[in-house]
Amino acid sequence: HERAFLFRLKFYPFPDPLRELLENSEVIKTGIGIKDDIHGLGKIIKFKPAGFIDLADEVRKRGMTNASLRSLTAIFLGKKLFK
């Protein structure tokens, strides 16, 4: 609830502790369109995904129509997102 981490896997080997994290249902992993990320990670290493929440699905359940990361950042954090 207090920390967030971003892992840039493109440039580093996939460590076993990170695989264990991806399989841990008690650690929440979020993103927009996260199913594609899970699929891409599955091409790198075999794991059983657990604890993943797609933010786009969650905001749509609450009646919001624009579920882009840029718009969610502006709405909830009051910040501009630069990628």
Side-chain angles (χ1 to χ4, degrees):
H1 295 289
E2 297 176 13
R3 293 186 182 151
F5 299 92
L6 177 64
F7 298 96
R8 300 286 305 226
L9 299 175
K10 183 177 181 178
F11 305 108
Y12 303 102
F14 206 105
D16 282 337
L18 184 53
R19 180 187 46 78
E20 294 168 8
L21 179 83
L22 297 173
E23 293 179 338
N24 186 338
S25 63
E26 294 181 19
V27 177
I28 303 301
K29 283 77 69 180
T30 64
I32 302 289
I34 202 160
K35 292 173 188 95
D36 293 334
D37 296 328
I38 294 169
H39 179 74
L41 288 170
K43 291 180 179 180
I44 299 170
I45 189 169
K46 299 293 182 209
F47 71 101
K48 295 179 184 176
F52 286 86
I53 298 174
D54 193 315
L55 295 176
D57 294 341
E58 294 302 312
V59 298
R60 285 188 194 107
K61 288 179 191 175
R62 289 158 177 77
M64 296 176 68
T65 55
N66 189 348
S68 72
L69 186 56
R70 180 167 286 166
S71 66
L72 294 177
T73 301
I75 292 166
F76 292 106
L77 301 176
K79 307 268 184 189
K80 277 191 166 188
L81 177 67
F82 299 98
K83 286 181 127 184

